[in-house]
Amino acid sequence: MLHLQKIKRMKKLLLSLVLLTCPIAFSFGQVSVSGVTGNNDYSAVRASYNLSMPLMPLSITPKFAMYEQDGMDTMYQYGIGANMNVPFYDLLEVGADAAYTPKANEYSNYLWDAHAALNIQNLFFRILPLDELKAGLGYRTIYHTFHATDTDVTEQDIYMFLYQKTGGFDTKITYTKALDFSQDKTGTPLWLDIPGFTAVYQGYLDYSLSVDAGYTYKFIRPYAGYTFIKTDNAPSSDDARLGLILKVMMINFNASVEWFNFTQNTADRQTFFSFTAGISI
């Protein structure tokens, strides 16, 4: 059962982030704040500001995230991303991200990734019977530090996605795979972001597969998704979700309910609720 006090505290935090973030907005940008809460006093908040550069096909995105749960100190993450459309028939988008998670609970990490997305529809001069078709590929390096044992482990991942849109229907498939580790894995990483997972995950990733599909009708978009996660030396887990996006003028609202299964035991499935608000300025 969710704790009312926890929900109220997360609402206050979400409101505070919105009030702090909005005044720094420039003429072209999008502010997004999201929160998720669930069992064991779990809560996570993410905020970002996507700033589009005037007269340039470039956007800069500062990011902030935090999460907490029973038995752990609150953890924070600070990051920044950059994306650019290559000015040639809108065929290619390239980008990079970096993030730092300061020491908490005897763990810290920092990461960087580089990615690219190809507009297949434009590549074939829009002859395919689709409104949009994109394929993307990315590479990520995570540096885990376990302070109690003074141990560092470097993780290298690759991820790819395929996105299509036809009429009001859209589908996205994302696959992430851990390629290599610098040494024998030790400890348990306490902060792991997985595409399709709104909550912060823990552990060494083996691979994950996420599928999301939705339908847009005027200003609403109901959607459904499923993510399967396999971590190293641990039971697999998954997440099923249902949600609704509502667009009111410049504001997007996204509410969803998710059912996490961390142990592949249906009795352990947990219910999480998430909410996202974004505004284009």
Side-chain angles (χ1 to χ4, degrees), residues 1-119:
M1 180 180 294
L2 295 176
H3 297 281
L4 184 60
Q5 183 177 0
K6 192 74 171 182
I7 296 176
K8 289 181 178 179
R9 183 159 59 131
M10 193 180 73
K11 287 180 179 178
K12 291 180 180 179
L13 183 56
L14 285 172
L15 179 60
S16 299
L17 286 172
V18 172
L19 295 176
L20 288 172
T21 308
C22 287
I24 70 170
F26 294 89
S27 299
F28 306 93
Q30 185 176 55
V31 176
S32 178
V33 181
S34 64
V36 59
T37 184
N39 297 1
N40 302 318
D41 272 355
Y42 184 102
S43 65
V45 174
R46 299 176 187 269
S48 65
Y49 175 61
N50 187 294
L51 172 63
S52 298
M53 299 290 104
L55 307 178
M56 294 179 62
L58 174 68
S59 63
I60 305 295
T61 308
K63 304 174 184 180
F64 168 80
M66 62 159 287
Y67 94 96
E68 58 186 358
Q69 63 181 7
D70 281 346
M72 290 181 57
D73 294 331
T74 303
M75 301 190 69
Y76 300 90
Q77 186 184 79
Y78 307 90
I80 190 167
N83 285 275
M84 183 179 71
N85 288 313
V86 178
F88 180 71
Y89 196 51
D90 194 26
L91 283 180
L92 187 66
E93 178 182 304
V94 296
D97 293 275
Y100 172 60
T101 303
K103 177 183 175 182
N105 305 293
E106 296 300 324
Y107 171 80
S108 65
N109 75 29
Y110 64 96
L111 65 88
W112 65 269
D113 82 51
H115 51 268
L118 178 66
N119 191 327

Side-chain angles (χ1 to χ4, degrees), residues 167-196:
F169 292 96
D170 63 88
T171 306
K172 185 175 182 179
I173 302 173
T174 305
Y175 177 74
T176 307
K177 172 65 177 174
L179 295 179
D180 189 36
F181 294 89
S182 62
Q183 63 182 54
D184 292 339
K185 306 175 196 66
T186 183
T188 300
L190 299 182
W191 190 299
L192 179 63
D193 290 315
I194 295 177

Side-chain angles (χ1 to χ4, degrees), residues 19 31 72 82 87 134 146 148-149 171 173 179 196-197 202 217 224 238:
L19 295 176
V31 176
M72 290 181 57
K134 289 185 177 181
F146 302 94
T149 58
T171 306
I173 302 173
L179 295 179
F197 235 53
Q202 297 180 6
Y217 178 73
D238 65 0

Side-chain angles (χ1 to χ4, degrees), residues 198-218:
T198 55
V200 176
Y201 203 74
Q202 297 180 6
Y204 285 106
L205 179 68
D206 183 3
Y207 67 89
S208 70
L209 178 64
S210 178
V211 180
D212 285 275
Y215 178 76
T216 302
Y217 178 73
K218 295 184 178 179

